[in-house]
Amino acid sequence: MYTPSHYKNKGLTEVKEFIKQNSFGILVNQTNGKPWATHIPLELDLDQEGKDILVGHISKANPQWKAFKVDEEVLTIFNGPHSYVSSSWYKEEEVPTWNYIAVHVYGKIKILEEAAVLASLHKLVDKYEKESSDPISINNLSKNTMKQIKGIVGFQISITDIQATYKLSQTRQQDHPKILEELQKTNKPGSLAIASCMKHMKK
């Protein structure tokens, strides 16, 4: 991912937390001779050696998994908030732009055995059911329902590189007060989220 130096976020702890909070990502590889992307939950975890991995699963009906090869490098993409930024908010004439946060993670993929897939599903469901008023547990699902695990392919990605772009008007510090004011006026979720990120960045 092309990232000018002033937009690179090298704070690995912050970037990992971003991935955890924005874990519905995009898995990209080469399938049948062309780029293929699937939108799925990709959970950041640790392997038995304490190294960072991503864990996920896709449907067996999705041909993407048939292109998974041992030690093949794949790309995963995690998107955060984004917002249009009008140059009318600047003190000096300039073109408009877009503020955003995006993280690209590269790694080597391998298919998991069924027991490991089941363990990953327990973690996934438990994580997101915490906020439910009537949480379910995989332990309480019937054998008939759990047969659906036969229809998915689980995988893990051993992370080789993380690239993080936090484009938050870093080169226009003098215009931040006005940019923040205008972003907050829009009352759009993306704009408000970008304004919050800009405030946090300034601290």
Side-chain angles (χ1 to χ4, degrees):
M1 171 169 61
Y2 169 69
T3 307
S5 59
H6 37 271
Y7 298 142
K8 285 184 180 178
N9 188 329
K10 298 180 181 178
L12 194 55
T13 299
E14 181 180 2
V15 173
K16 287 182 182 179
E17 186 60 30
F18 172 86
I19 293 172
K20 291 177 182 178
Q21 296 300 321
N22 298 272
S23 58
F24 193 75
I26 304 171
L27 171 65
V28 183
N29 73 344
Q30 282 282 330
T31 300
N32 297 328
K34 64 181 179 180
W36 192 283
T38 300
H39 300 248
I40 47 173
L42 292 161
E43 296 298 315
L44 185 63
D45 206 343
L46 297 173
D47 65 12
Q48 293 179 341
E49 298 176 357
K51 296 179 180 178
D52 291 319
I53 58 172
L54 292 171
V55 181
H57 65 272
I58 60 175
S59 168
K60 279 186 178 176
N62 183 342
Q64 185 177 29
W65 74 271
K66 294 179 181 178
F68 293 170
K69 299 174 183 176
V70 177
D71 288 334
E72 177 188 51
E73 190 165 55
V74 297
L75 166 65
T76 55
I77 301 171
F78 300 90
N79 289 310
H82 59 88
S83 179
Y84 177 76
V85 176
S86 171
S87 57
S88 67
W89 306 341
Y90 300 162
K91 293 179 180 179
E92 298 178 0
E93 183 179 72
E94 187 52 274
V95 295
T97 190
W98 213 276
N99 278 0
Y100 66 95
I101 295 177
V103 174
H104 285 194
V105 180
Y106 294 86
K108 303 293 183 67
I109 194 166
K110 74 172 184 179
I111 294 176
L112 296 174
E113 299 294 332
E114 187 172 302
V117 177
L118 183 58
S120 71
L121 291 177
H122 274 279
K123 283 187 177 181
L124 181 68
V125 172
D126 289 347
K127 174 183 175 180
Y128 291 101
E129 285 291 331
K130 285 179 182 178
E131 298 179 3
S132 175
S133 58
D134 186 20
I136 65 165
S137 169
I138 284 184
N139 291 323
N140 298 328
L141 297 178
S142 68
K143 289 183 179 180
N144 188 52
T145 296
M146 288 307 296
K147 285 180 183 177
Q148 294 181 53
I149 195 173
K150 301 291 185 183
I152 64 174
V153 176
F155 59 85
Q156 79 173 39
I157 300 169
S158 300
I159 295 174
T160 57
D161 189 27
I162 298 178
Q163 301 173 2
T165 299
Y166 282 53
K167 186 174 180 294
L168 300 169
S169 299
Q170 289 95 324
T171 60
R172 308 204 68 85
Q173 292 291 331
Q174 71 278 12
D175 296 313
H176 271 209
K178 181 64 173 176
I179 294 171
L180 288 171
E181 177 187 346
E182 295 295 338
L183 287 172
Q184 290 164 340
K185 278 184 187 177
T186 69
N187 208 31
K188 295 178 180 177
S191 299
L192 294 175
I194 284 294
S196 176
C197 292
M198 290 176 64
K199 288 179 181 179
H200 174 74
M201 179 189 66
K202 291 171 68 178
K203 292 179 181 180

